[in-house]
Amino acid sequence: MTNSMEKPAVTKVEVGQVTVGGANFVVIAGPCSVESEEHFLITGQAAKRSGANILRGGIFKLRTSPDSFQGLGKDGLAIAKRVRQELAMPIVCEITDPRQIGDFHDIVDMFQVGSRNMYNYSLLKELGQTKKPVMLKRGFSALIEEWILAAKYVTDGGNPNVILCERGIRSFEKVTRNTLDLAAVAYIKQNTSFPVIVDPSHATGVRNLILPMALASAAAGADGLLIEIHPDPDNALSDGFQALDFKQFDQLMDKLSLILDTLNRPLAPTAVV
Ligand code: PEP
Ligand code: MN
């Protein structure tokens, strides 16, 4: 970590044909969990139609309760593979265990390391042995410095392709699921070479707060966003309370484009894999 006044050069990370950390702003969107092939396909189509660049979808879910839906597992990977091909869109899925790397490697364009695994150094070391991009979410109680050091476990292994994702931290506040730390975003931009994106869905856990926090994230200098969307949020198998429906997501993208115009930072083109 440096504290000099000089900004370190940003590492540009290629996710499929989408560059994160470059001149363009990038939007990742999709459901919290892949629920079925049809569900993932229609959600991906809506994401793409509204201008999202990368599709997300959880397959192995780390849920607070063991009784909650745990994801489709390996069946979900096969679905992700087909939907990725059909939509020609890069895809990011959360990896929860180093033993999954082989199964994930040829399907996803980027590994997601979730908040609960930010301190899983054996997973980070293994991901450092690949060249595939890693989106490292901030641990919900992690200091910025611990988060940056976690990223270093991946880069020290020889994989420079790390994107940081601010997803809110636990505070005393209960109205929101987490507390979005936008100062962390500005700090990362000023003091490290990592691209940084913001996940206002998990950071707020409140559907109506996602749009304003998405706009604020862009203004704070984030390189992109991660947004959870669902065709029928009230019946989602996970995190429905914080999912935008397709119309709400489209409205978010419209408003975002106004901010991006002002910032002179165009949205990345909808790219192919
Ligand atoms: C997710 O992206 O669905 C997720 C579980 O996020 P986090 O690890 O930030 O809680
Ligand atoms: Mn989620």
Side-chain angles (χ1 to χ4, degrees):
M1 205 181 347
T2 72
N3 264 316
S4 75
M5 295 300 285
E6 233 171 84
K7 261 171 119 174
V10 181
T11 305
K12 293 184 179 59
V13 178
E14 307 292 337
V15 184
Q17 291 184 20
V18 181
T19 306
V20 184
N24 293 336
F25 192 84
V26 169
V27 174
I28 304 171
C32 179
S33 300
V34 173
E35 298 179 9
S36 70
E37 183 150 353
E38 197 203 353
H39 161 261
F40 197 38
L41 183 61
I42 60 167
T43 308
Q45 284 165 337
K48 190 170 179 172
R49 210 168 39 237
S50 295
N53 312 106
I54 299 171
L55 179 61
R56 67 149 281 148
I59 283 166
F60 294 91
K61 297 300 298 177
L62 294 177
R63 305 301 301 283
T64 304
S65 166
D67 298 327
S68 300
F69 176 61
Q70 301 284 311
L72 295 180
K74 281 201 174 181
D75 292 346
L77 270 180
I79 291 172
K81 184 176 183 180
R82 290 194 291 272
V83 169
R84 174 181 180 273
Q85 267 161 5
E86 171 101 18
L87 296 177
M89 230 178 149
I91 200 164
V92 54
C93 298
E94 180 174 354
I95 184 161
T96 56
D97 188 304
R99 289 168 293 189
Q100 294 161 349
I101 290 181
D103 287 339
F104 268 64
H105 195 272
D106 294 331
I107 294 177
V108 303
D109 297 278
M110 175 158 70
F111 296 111
Q112 171 174 328
V113 176
S115 189
R116 290 160 188 77
N117 262 323
M118 191 208 83
Y119 294 106
N120 185 342
Y121 300 127
S122 54
L123 175 61
L124 298 176
K125 281 184 194 167
E126 287 293 328
L127 294 173
Q129 299 301 308
T130 78
K131 287 281 179 261
K132 205 173 273 291
V134 175
M135 181 178 79
L136 178 62
K137 287 190 143 196
R138 182 178 183 180
F140 47 73
S141 300
L143 298 176
I144 296 171
E145 191 170 358
E146 289 170 331
W147 187 23
I148 294 167
L149 290 171
K152 210 165 167 292
Y153 269 96
V154 181
T155 55
D156 279 1
N159 183 355
N161 301 308
V162 178
I163 297 166
L164 299 180
C165 177
E166 161 61 32
R167 47 78 74 209
I169 48 176
R170 186 164 278 183
S171 77
F172 51 81
E173 184 51 64
K174 288 197 200 152
V175 164
T176 49
R177 185 179 186 182
N178 292 288
T179 295
L180 175 58
D181 183 5
L182 278 184
V185 175
Y187 182 89
I188 297 288
K189 293 304 295 179
Q190 287 172 17
N191 294 283
T192 83
S193 56
F194 296 111
V196 59
I197 67 165
V198 175
D199 168 359
S201 304
H202 293 87
T204 65
V206 179
R207 202 175 287 146
N208 290 340
L209 298 180
I210 295 170
L211 167 64
M213 292 305 97
L215 304 184
S217 302
D223 295 298
L225 292 168
L226 183 154
I227 309 282
E228 287 190 341
I229 64 173
H230 195 281
D232 180 12
D234 290 340
N235 288 301
L237 294 183
S238 59
D239 285 357
F241 53 86
Q242 65 186 33
L244 299 184
D245 66 24
F246 298 161
K247 193 164 161 234
Q248 290 163 335
F249 179 60
D250 205 52
Q251 287 163 350
L252 181 150
M253 293 299 280
D254 275 351
K255 289 253 167 68
L256 177 67
S257 72
L258 301 175
I259 297 278
L260 295 179
D261 282 350
T262 309
L263 296 169
N264 203 12
R265 186 137 199 230
L267 183 68
T270 313
V272 291
V273 286

